[in-house]
Amino acid sequence: MKKLLFVAALFIGLFVNAQETDTEKQERAMELMSKKVDITVDEALFKTVMQNTYVSESPRAVIMGMYVPETFENAKKKLEENTEDQKFEVTDHGEKEINGVKVLYMYGKSTAEGVSLDNKVYCYEIDKDTCLMLIGMYEVGVDKKYSDAVNTALNSAIKKQD
């Protein structure tokens, strides 16, 4: 499961540069990491392993949310630059509307712990300097109730901001 969470963390790494030299941005990233994401997760299928991170051990699946200190345009640029990552085979990416919100999306396949995974990444603007990143992963061929639960959870967190 640790490797599966590591793969999820790679996606977050697309948007949050660990080598960021801007101390203010680093501090803001740490502050945002502690912020609770309003997401509805099927607790019969997933358990909470840490704030905003939910897993199912068998089959393997992860749902994760995180606020990132990034403008929507910068997030879009980073997504475009990282569609050729060797650890992740992108099958589709772009922009679309979900629940009336403009969302960046990236779908693809990856492997963790010898298991092939379907992946979904969504990112949308919260304010001019903050985006919410949502990640869902599940074993290829998983029972439909798990893939549906991941999709429902991700969609539940996509909301218009006041």
Side-chain angles (χ1 to χ4, degrees):
M1 189 53 63
K2 286 180 183 176
K3 286 185 182 177
L4 190 59
L5 291 172
F6 174 75
V7 172
L10 284 175
F11 291 112
I12 291 172
L14 293 176
F15 293 89
V16 180
N17 185 347
Q19 302 300 316
E20 184 67 53
T21 57
D22 182 351
T23 304
E24 188 175 310
K25 192 169 182 178
Q26 283 181 336
E27 288 172 1
R28 187 152 183 275
M30 294 304 290
E31 174 189 324
L32 289 172
M33 282 175 56
S34 67
K35 187 175 177 181
K36 176 82 173 124
V37 174
D38 183 15
I39 189 167
T40 304
V41 176
D42 185 336
E43 293 177 5
L45 300 177
F46 293 87
K47 68 179 183 178
T48 305
V49 292
M50 55 198 256
Q51 180 171 275
N52 304 324
T53 305
Y54 311 87
V55 300
S56 164
E57 301 248 356
S58 181
R60 294 181 188 158
V62 174
I63 299 167
M64 191 179 223
M66 181 179 180
Y67 292 95
V68 294
E70 202 60 82
T71 66
F72 186 78
E73 287 307 313
N74 281 345
K76 184 176 181 178
K77 210 179 301 181
K78 287 180 180 183
L79 180 73
E80 291 294 325
E81 292 168 358
N82 288 290
T83 56
E84 306 222 357
D85 189 324
Q86 281 76 22
K87 297 177 184 87
F88 183 77
E89 176 193 338
V90 176
T91 57
D92 193 15
H93 73 283
E95 258 181 70
K96 65 180 175 178
E97 192 171 296
I98 300 174
N99 302 333
V101 177
K102 183 168 63 169
V103 176
L104 299 173
Y105 72 93
M106 184 167 60
Y107 302 146
K109 304 219 177 275
S110 64
T111 304
E113 301 173 342
V115 176
S116 295
L117 302 166
D118 282 322
N119 305 265
K120 291 186 172 195
V121 180
Y122 293 125
C123 181
Y124 75 98
E125 183 177 70
I126 298 299
D127 61 37
K128 67 180 184 72
D129 296 315
T130 311
C131 288
L132 177 60
M133 176 181 260
L134 302 162
I135 300 166
M137 306 173 147
Y138 46 87
E139 288 184 41
V140 171
V142 71
D143 186 305
K144 188 168 171 16
K145 69 182 177 183
Y146 286 92
S147 58
D148 287 349
V150 167
N151 292 331
T152 298
L154 297 179
N155 287 340
S156 77
I158 300 172
K159 302 172 182 126
K160 291 186 179 182
Q161 302 300 307
D162 299 327

